[in-house]
Amino acid sequence: MLAFIFKRLLQSVVVMLTVALIAFALFRYVGDPINNMVGQDTTLEERAELKERLGLNDPFIIQFYRFVRDASVGEFGLSYQHRRPVKELIAERLPATLELALVSAILALAIGIPMGVYTALKRYGFLSRTFMTISLVGVSLPTFLIGILLILFFGVILRWLPTFGRGDIVEIGWWTSGFLTASGLKSLIMPSITLALFQMTLIMRLVRAEMLEVLRADFIKFARARGLPTRAVHFRHALKNTLVPVITITGLQLGSIIAFAIITESVFQWPGMGLLFIQAIGEVDIPVMAAYLVLIAFFFVVINMVVDILYFVVDPRLRVDKALVNGQ
Amino acid sequence: MTENKNPITLLDYFGQMRDSDLWFSFTRSPVIVASACVTLLYLIVTIFAPLIAPHDPFDLASIDLLDASLPPVWMDDGELRFILGTDDQGRDILSTIIYGSRISLFVGFASVIFSLILGVGLGLISGYVGGRLDAFIMRVADVQLSFPAILIALLVDGLARTLLPREHHDEVALYVLVFAIGISGWVQYARTVRGQTLVEKGKEYVQAARVIGIRKWTILLRHILPNVTGPVLVIATIHLAIAIITEATLSFLGVGVPPTTPSLGTLIRIGNDFLFSGEWWITIFPGIALVLLVLAVNLLGDWLRDALNPKLR
């Protein structure tokens, strides 16, 4: 167990260092860092002096070490475009993305799980077939197109909902929230549905598949034979056993919600980190790109590690499997 | 797979196909036949785009700004010349969709082929050679699999764009995109092929080949490769749908193909600006074209997976 966690930790560190190396290479080798700092009229001597002072003549390893040290406390320098510390920019955008991701995750779970259970129990019902067809269309419908369709119907034609931005936000310390105002909540509706839809179809299909599998198991037959009410069999026995893999997948999906937020934020001009990143690519704003790269990698590595370890703790069968996989 | 002594003629080949289980299950489902027809239609129309499209949307001489922003033919100001209406520059929407699908399909196929070659190659090597190399390739695959493919494509694309000089962006954007989407999708191929290779490796025919002294590479390419193609075909079909969506998404975000050669995603991006002024057809028709294509390919992929899965027969 400890060996497994240690190995997993080591792997995460390697991944983070690789990502940091890519981010560092971006900084160091794309364009001239000095050029980005000084004006046209700086003399060559001043440039050379600045280069020496900033340590840009030091060996690669030392520079990389310095980069990792600064990055680990969130220091990525000034944004070329905004002329402000990247740390500040990200801290400003973080609440918007996290609130959007949270609402979407809750939506996806709250609708996806019941739909999955229903389609598994009433396999050939009309409503089940409709759900399944819709889910197939949902998989084929790119996220941005869902957003555009929603904007067209509810924003342009019906004029019910705002089509961009976060609405009025309330500042709570350094956090900004759209939960507390009517316009903030209204602005959340369309982006969160857009972001949730894909995850929802995924969760629904997963719950359905798992549930069908579990319903075939012997202990369900036995429970039925004992004369337990169908309700109890379905919800107490079957659903409970379905939820372990569902929780794992949902944990992993949390990462992809944050990643897919890039698309949703672009469609709705939602002032989050994803929009910041997309704009940074367009403007070749390397400090912002590097910071986002490292941050998102960090999110994923942490989520994956936690899920892996939890899985390991929850499911004893996995320990045997892992040993087999590693030992083959 | 048995080797035929007589060369197979095309007719024999079709005869064999008609007798197969695959063909039987194909003809049984009208939805699948329809999807196949739609996919085929897209292929034919996009390959012969210059002959089929009613206008050449990129020929500046034939575009007239007076035709700008015309609605589809069934609406009040619609004209018969432009069945689905025109965009803000007077380009025929139907024609831009046809040319756009061409770019989308090109990027889709090219990146699938790129992923396939990379993934199958690495999978074969990983499975057959084993040892440290195998462990390394599979660790990289594990790590990559923990990130969503679309994020990887976006990051690779973004990085590649930053690394390339600005002047050359438009020329190479298409290939950068193919590379980015291709690199984001190799893992599935590699994992499946590795697993299959491990199974095939232990079978008698491979051992026999090894005993009579056939070289490693010949065994891999001539003996093992043909036996792992089934699952690869399934992955490739489903991957095609994903690749098309990824391309459209990146182009929509403005980091995909350049506006000079718009794909379906670029068209939707351009049209998105006119949504609020009521010109919905500039966005919605390319959107429908995209969904139809992806849905057809997805359905084909789903069917192929089930049809080739012996457990489900």
Side-chain angles (χ1 to χ4, degrees):
Chain A
M1 179 76 196
L2 265 177
F4 170 73
I5 292 178
F6 184 71
K7 226 172 135 183
R8 200 65 192 70
L9 218 66
L10 203 72
Q11 197 187 327
S12 307
V13 171
V14 171
V15 172
M16 281 313 298
L17 279 180
T18 316
V19 172
L21 191 66
I22 295 171
F24 172 69
L26 261 183
F27 252 116
R28 190 63 193 83
Y29 301 108
V30 179
D32 183 357
I34 298 289
N35 254 350
N36 287 314
M37 296 174 66
V38 298
Q40 291 279 331
D41 47 350
T42 322
T43 61
L44 279 176
E45 288 84 51
E46 280 173 319
R47 282 170 191 249
E49 197 257 336
L50 189 63
K51 200 169 177 183
E52 186 60 43
R53 191 154 52 82
L54 289 172
L56 290 175
N57 291 330
D58 293 346
F60 175 83
I61 290 289
I62 295 182
Q63 288 193 44
F64 182 54
Y65 163 73
R66 232 182 267 139
F67 175 80
V68 172
R69 189 192 61 199
D70 290 346
S72 57
V73 291
E75 204 59 69
F76 286 93
L78 287 177
S79 153
Y80 295 165
Q81 194 69 27
H82 302 267
R83 299 275 155 204
R84 287 174 52 201
V86 176
K87 203 173 166 181
E88 262 179 52
L89 282 173
I90 298 235
E92 239 172 57
R93 306 291 193 108
L94 194 69
T97 298
L98 288 185
E99 284 191 352
L100 179 64
L102 181 77
V103 174
S104 306
I106 293 172
L107 262 183
L109 282 176
I111 304 175
I113 293 179
M115 266 167 86
V117 172
Y118 183 82
T119 45
L121 294 181
K122 299 244 162 64
R123 234 178 126 182
Y124 301 103
F126 173 73
L127 210 57
S128 295
R129 280 162 185 272
T130 318
F131 283 162
M132 288 307 285
T133 315
I134 291 173
S135 84
L136 193 68
V137 177
V139 172
S140 305
L141 215 70
T143 312
F144 66 91
L145 214 53
I146 297 172
I148 290 177
L149 289 178
L150 286 177
I151 289 182
L152 180 63
F153 282 113
F154 296 104
V156 178
I157 297 177
L158 296 172
R159 295 181 184 280
W160 285 352
L161 296 167
T163 53
F164 63 90
R166 278 183 89 189
D168 298 324
I169 46 174
V170 179
E171 283 182 40
I172 309 166
W174 60 277
W175 187 273
T176 56
S177 175
F179 286 154
L180 300 172
T181 61
S183 76
L185 286 174
K186 258 178 140 175
S187 304
L188 250 171
I189 297 176
M190 288 206 288
S192 57
I193 291 178
T194 307
L195 191 50
L197 215 59
F198 183 77
Q199 315 294 334
M200 197 176 84
T201 49
L202 204 75
I203 290 174
M204 177 194 130
R205 286 178 157 244
L206 184 78
V207 170
R208 176 177 177 273
E210 285 293 327
M211 190 91 176
L212 286 175
E213 192 103 331
V214 171
L215 283 174
R216 272 201 293 269
D218 286 341
F219 73 93
I220 295 292
K221 282 183 199 151
F222 184 63
R224 287 222 172 97
R226 269 162 67 201
L228 291 177
T230 325
R231 258 187 91 84
V233 175
H234 285 162
F235 291 98
R236 212 164 317 133
H237 291 70
L239 186 60
K240 224 165 144 188
N241 282 288
T242 308
L243 288 182
V244 179
V246 172
I247 289 166
T248 331
I249 299 280
T250 313
L252 292 176
Q253 288 301 315
L254 212 66
S256 41
I257 284 186
I258 290 172
F260 276 97
I262 299 176
I263 304 163
T264 313
E265 286 175 10
S266 272
V267 176
F268 291 95
Q269 295 296 307
W270 188 263
M273 291 189 305
L275 193 62
L276 187 73
F277 176 64
I278 280 293
Q279 285 165 347
I281 292 183
E283 294 153 355
V284 198
D285 194 342
I286 291 162
V288 176
M289 284 176 70
Y292 185 81
L293 204 66
V294 172
L295 192 69
I296 200 112
F298 183 68
F299 264 131
F300 270 91
V301 163
V302 169
I303 291 172
N304 275 303
M305 205 167 66
V306 170
V307 167
D308 260 16
I309 293 174
L310 271 185
Y311 214 52
F312 205 75
V313 173
V314 170
D315 195 341
R317 281 172 305 180
L318 213 74
R319 284 169 222 167
V320 184
D321 285 351
K322 281 265 176 184
L324 278 179
V325 169
N326 289 334
Q328 42 78 20
Chain B
M1 277 194 181
T2 51
E3 288 269 327
N4 261 18
K5 271 180 193 153
N6 308 323
I8 311 172
T9 61
L10 207 60
L11 211 64
D12 286 343
Y13 189 71
F14 278 122
Q16 248 180 30
M17 209 172 95
R18 214 179 48 223
D19 289 339
S20 68
D21 292 346
L22 205 61
W23 182 253
F24 177 72
S25 105
F26 179 78
T27 48
R28 279 270 305 266
S29 164
V31 178
I32 297 311
V33 175
S35 316
C37 290
V38 169
T39 313
L40 209 64
L41 188 75
Y42 267 93
L43 286 178
I44 292 169
V45 168
T46 51
I47 288 171
F48 300 105
L51 302 175
I52 292 172
H55 301 265
D56 181 357
F58 306 112
D59 176 15
L60 289 174
S62 74
I63 302 172
D64 192 344
L65 266 178
L66 288 175
D67 295 331
S69 304
L70 288 175
V73 69
W74 58 85
M75 282 171 65
D76 279 348
D77 294 324
E79 286 185 33
L80 202 59
R81 283 184 299 154
F82 307 109
I83 297 174
L84 298 180
T86 58
D87 68 5
D88 62 310
Q89 293 171 33
R91 294 184 293 201
D92 176 41
I93 298 282
L94 180 63
S95 306
T96 54
I97 289 177
I98 291 175
Y99 279 92
S101 310
R102 200 182 194 187
I103 306 273
S104 290
L105 274 170
F106 168 74
V107 174
F109 274 110
S111 33
V112 165
I113 291 170
F114 181 67
S115 284
L116 192 141
I117 293 174
L118 188 68
V120 171
L122 287 175
L124 279 175
I125 293 170
S126 200
Y128 198 77
V129 178
R132 282 230 175 131
L133 191 63
D134 174 35
F136 177 70
I137 294 176
M138 282 304 121
R139 270 302 91 74
V140 175
D142 279 349
V143 170
Q144 183 169 336
L145 210 59
S146 63
F147 294 84
I150 199 160
L151 184 67
I152 295 199
L154 181 64
L155 294 179
V156 172
D157 191 66
L159 291 184
R161 279 170 165 264
T162 325
L163 293 173
L164 291 166
R166 285 218 146 186
E167 312 82 73
H168 300 305
H169 262 183
D170 284 4
E171 298 157 35
V172 293
L174 210 60
Y175 304 101
V176 170
L177 198 59
V178 168
F179 173 75
I181 300 174
I183 223 77
S184 72
W186 65 275
V187 177
Q188 267 80 9
Y189 298 94
R191 284 196 155 194
T192 314
V193 168
R194 173 179 176 271
Q196 287 285 107
T197 307
L198 282 176
V199 173
E200 297 295 327
K201 195 172 134 185
K203 288 193 179 162
E204 283 91 349
Y205 73 92
V206 174
Q207 285 173 357
R210 215 182 300 162
V211 167
I212 58 173
I214 295 177
R215 270 177 299 146
K216 203 187 254 177
W217 290 104
T218 319
I219 296 180
L220 268 182
L221 296 178
R222 291 271 290 280
H223 298 269
I224 296 183
L225 185 62
N227 287 308
V228 299
T229 45
V232 168
L233 190 68
V234 175
I235 300 175
T237 316
I238 295 171
H239 188 205
L240 180 63
I242 297 173
I244 292 171
I245 288 195
T246 310
E247 183 277 327
T249 306
L250 295 190
S251 295
F252 175 77
L253 292 176
V255 293
V257 297
T260 43
T261 48
S263 72
L264 289 175
T266 325
L267 291 175
I268 296 169
R269 173 190 175 80
I270 297 169
N272 198 22
D273 297 338
F274 301 99
L275 208 56
F276 295 102
S277 49
E279 282 130 12
W280 53 269
W281 55 89
I282 306 178
T283 316
I284 298 301
F285 289 129
I288 293 173
L290 177 66
V291 173
L292 209 63
L293 174 62
V294 173
L295 190 64
V297 177
N298 255 340
L299 283 168
L300 274 183
D302 268 6
W303 161 77
L304 205 59
R305 184 184 54 204
D306 293 348
L308 290 179
N309 186 350
K311 274 191 210 157
L312 289 176
R313 286 221 182 111

